[in-house]
Amino acid sequence: MNQLIKTIETNDEIAVSGRELHEFLEVNSNYTTWFERMTDYGFEEEIDFIPNLKESTGGRRSLDHHIKLDAAKEIAMIQRSDKGKQARQYFIQVEKHWNNPEMIIKRAMDLQQLKIKQLEAEKQENLPYTNFGKIVSNSQGAINIGAFAKMMFDDHGIKIGRNKMFGWLREHGFLIRTGREYNNPKQTFIERGYFIVTPTIVSRTEGDIQTFTTLITGKGQIKIAELLINEFLVEK
């Protein structure tokens, strides 16, 4: 079917550019004035059309609208012109083509292929967690840095004790290097779920004090183990 007016298609619906429809209809008034007049007929945002900012000449951004097909048919009819009649008939043909059983099957197959690609991309993204997940298979909970250093030696022969592990984590930007919060994890890695910090009350003769212990979560263990293995075991 020849494309009289460019359509915007998803797996759910069809829309057309308001500006392209305005141009095709050869409306005398400018686009903004014309579209505001069209909305007076009761067309509603998000139901009948969706605003869309687009690049225009000179790098400026202009407001367009994605008008859904049913609304576009009504707008074409409102024009009471030969161009409006032509556009409406075209939209009716587009709708028939869209609802053709073969096209419905094709969209379903396309959607299925898209889901397969998304699952494959997700699988590739999670591959490091699959490869290194065995490291935390017996320790899904968070553990302290000394215990993690011992686990890396026991499981992979990476000889890095507690103090060296702290140093490595500082050098690689996971822990704070100076100041009052020295050796605490950086906030960004706490937010990513790599570390948690647990408070502990220590009783002393001069009074109780609060200390903090840094624990590496299961997610953090997987990520950091991946980096350690790549650095210490993988041949360059």
Side-chain angles (χ1 to χ4, degrees), residues 14 60 99 126 134 145 147 152 154 168 187 194-195 202:
I14 311 174
R60 296 179 180 178
N99 291 325
N126 291 331
K134 59 185 179 181
I145 290 174
M152 292 304 299
D154 291 343
W168 186 91
Q187 184 61 33
Y194 292 175
F195 299 94
V202 179

Side-chain angles (χ1 to χ4, degrees), residues 170-185:
R170 289 194 302 271
E171 290 172 6
H172 287 75
F174 290 100
L175 302 183
I176 297 171
R177 299 170 66 106
T178 58
R180 189 163 57 99
E181 296 186 338
Y182 176 72
N183 269 352
N184 284 347

Side-chain angles (χ1 to χ4, degrees), residues 132 134-135 151-159 225 229 233:
F132 297 97
K134 59 185 179 181
I135 297 168
M151 186 173 67
M152 292 304 299
F153 176 73
D154 291 343
D155 291 352
H156 295 280
I158 296 176
K159 193 173 182 179
I229 289 171
L233 298 183

Side-chain angles (χ1 to χ4, degrees), residues 136 139-143 148 189-190 192-196 215-224:
V136 292
S139 180
Q140 294 300 323
I143 59 176
F148 178 68
F189 295 110
I190 294 176
R192 292 182 191 179
Y194 292 175
F195 299 94
I196 58 174
L215 302 178
I216 309 176
T217 66
K219 183 178 180 180
Q221 291 169 50
I222 293 170
K223 180 63 178 177
I224 294 167

Side-chain angles (χ1 to χ4, degrees), residues 45-184:
E45 186 173 328
E46 300 298 334
I47 296 176
D48 300 299
F49 64 88
I50 299 172
N52 177 47
L53 283 173
K54 59 186 294 187
E55 295 290 337
S56 59
T57 307
R60 296 179 180 178
R61 304 190 78 185
S62 60
L63 180 62
D64 192 7
H65 299 85
H66 287 173
I67 304 174
K68 298 182 181 181
L69 193 62
D70 283 344
K73 285 190 295 184
E74 288 189 53
I75 289 173
M77 183 173 61
I78 290 168
Q79 307 310 304
R80 299 182 183 278
S81 66
D82 289 341
K83 279 286 189 176
K85 183 178 180 181
Q86 186 180 3
R88 181 173 179 274
Q89 290 175 340
Y90 169 70
F91 293 146
I92 290 171
Q93 291 303 312
V94 168
E95 186 175 39
K96 287 181 178 178
H97 181 69
W98 177 262
N99 291 325
N100 183 293
E102 291 183 3
M103 293 303 299
I104 293 173
I105 294 171
K106 181 181 183 301
R107 288 199 302 276
M109 292 177 65
D110 289 344
L111 181 60
Q112 186 66 24
Q113 286 300 314
L114 178 61
K115 288 181 178 179
I116 291 172
K117 288 181 180 180
Q118 289 173 340
L119 287 171
E120 183 62 29
E122 184 178 341
K123 178 181 176 182
Q124 291 300 317
E125 183 179 350
N126 291 331
L127 189 59
Y129 295 94
T130 302
N131 290 341
F132 297 97
K134 59 185 179 181
I135 297 168
V136 292
S137 60
N138 297 320
S139 180
Q140 294 300 323
I143 59 176
N144 65 41
I145 290 174
F148 178 68
K150 182 177 184 302
M151 186 173 67
M152 292 304 299
F153 176 73
D154 291 343
D155 291 352
H156 295 280
I158 296 176
K159 193 173 182 179
I160 181 170
R162 177 182 179 277
N163 292 339
K164 287 185 178 180
M165 180 65 76
F166 269 104
W168 186 91
L169 290 168
R170 289 194 302 271
E171 290 172 6
H172 287 75
F174 290 100
L175 302 183
I176 297 171
R177 299 170 66 106
T178 58
R180 189 163 57 99
E181 296 186 338
Y182 176 72
N183 269 352
N184 284 347

